[in-house]
Amino acid sequence: MKLNKRTIFAASSALALGIGLLFPTSAEAHCDTPDGPVAAALEQALAEDNFSYIASWVLEEDEAELLEVYELSTSVMETTDSEDTVHLAERYLLENLVRIHRAGEGAPYTGISNDPIAPENAAADASIEEGTLAPLEAAGLITDENRAHAEEVFAQVLATKEYDHDDVAAGRAFVENYVVFTHLFEVGHDEEHGDEHAEEQAEEHEESETSHD
């Protein structure tokens, strides 16, 4: 099933625009864009009819849900002559893939973003592709304070980067390292997740107090 990126995302623009008006773009919108890694994995999965490409981008416990969506969507694509129906099936698959992926990160689903990829994400992707921190250094994102940690996480990314795409466990290992690495440089990521962690701790404390009463 050979599909191109323009076909996959043409029907997503209107809905993404509507959702974008309702919800602000979060610090983690990198994986929500048509040019991001999740969308690229989906494009490869459809081109080769290989679910493993996108299975790696969701947690193991969410794989069955994504597979059901994938099989339903591809079945529709293969049995219709209507371009509009194909677009709708592709949009349904993309949005559910992004939603399930973000849920695995503990992040809300806010639609498909048409915003350009943030410079820090582009630099992180370039560093991974080139196998060097030079793009991040050129962008001023590697400092004396974060260099040691960035180098440690980057080494883990590179160690898991090359894997058999039919080996979903290996794919998940890379994705996990990839997400950790790119989040190091995302503006607002620490603050956003720090707030979530604080809320979780408050809830746990409240439950503990209630159990002691």
Side-chain angles (χ1 to χ4, degrees):
M1 184 183 301
K2 186 70 173 178
L3 301 172
N4 57 55
K5 187 175 294 184
R6 183 182 63 80
T7 300
I8 293 174
F9 297 105
S12 301
S13 299
L15 183 63
L17 176 61
I19 293 176
L21 295 174
L22 295 174
F23 298 99
T25 302
S26 78
E28 297 172 283
H30 180 218
C31 291
D32 296 0
T33 69
D35 295 317
V38 174
L42 175 56
E43 184 179 5
Q44 199 69 34
L46 292 175
E48 298 186 20
D49 193 18
N50 187 342
F51 173 72
S52 296
Y53 280 97
I54 57 174
S56 296
W57 284 89
V58 302
L59 300 179
E60 183 177 1
E61 56 264 35
D62 296 326
E63 183 176 336
E65 179 185 1
L66 180 60
L67 179 59
E68 182 177 356
V69 173
Y70 178 81
E71 290 180 339
L72 174 62
S73 300
T74 54
S75 175
V76 169
M77 296 176 206
E78 291 167 354
T79 57
T80 183
D81 294 325
S82 167
E83 289 188 5
D84 289 341
T85 302
V86 170
H87 288 164
L88 187 60
E90 290 166 351
R91 184 178 70 187
Y92 177 75
L93 176 53
L94 172 64
E95 291 176 348
N96 277 279
L97 170 59
V98 170
R99 174 184 62 79
I100 297 170
H101 167 73
R102 286 180 65 82
E105 290 188 297
Y109 173 65
T110 56
I112 306 304
S113 172
N114 289 314
D115 292 338
I117 291 179
E120 59 269 22
N121 290 130
D125 281 344
S127 286
I128 294 172
E129 182 177 354
E130 297 174 18
T132 171
L133 290 175
L136 284 163
E137 291 171 335
L141 294 168
I142 300 296
T143 66
D144 291 340
E145 289 74 19
N146 72 5
R147 178 176 293 276
H149 184 50
E151 289 178 345
E152 178 184 357
V153 179
F154 189 54
Q156 294 173 344
V157 173
L158 295 185
T160 54
K161 177 182 174 182
E162 302 297 333
Y163 62 92
D164 182 345
H165 287 284
D166 289 322
D167 186 345
V168 176
R172 287 195 179 110
F174 166 71
V175 169
E176 181 178 359
N177 290 324
Y178 173 89
V179 168
V180 171
F181 180 69
T182 55
H183 283 179
L184 291 178
F185 310 101
E186 287 181 339
V187 177
H189 178 265
D190 289 341
E191 290 83 352
E192 180 179 337
H193 281 263
D195 291 343
E196 292 175 359
H197 184 58
E199 290 176 3
E200 291 175 359
Q201 287 185 319
E203 290 176 359
E204 291 174 0
H205 178 71
E206 184 178 344
E207 291 174 358
S208 176
E209 289 293 323
T210 302
S211 65
H212 288 311
D213 289 344

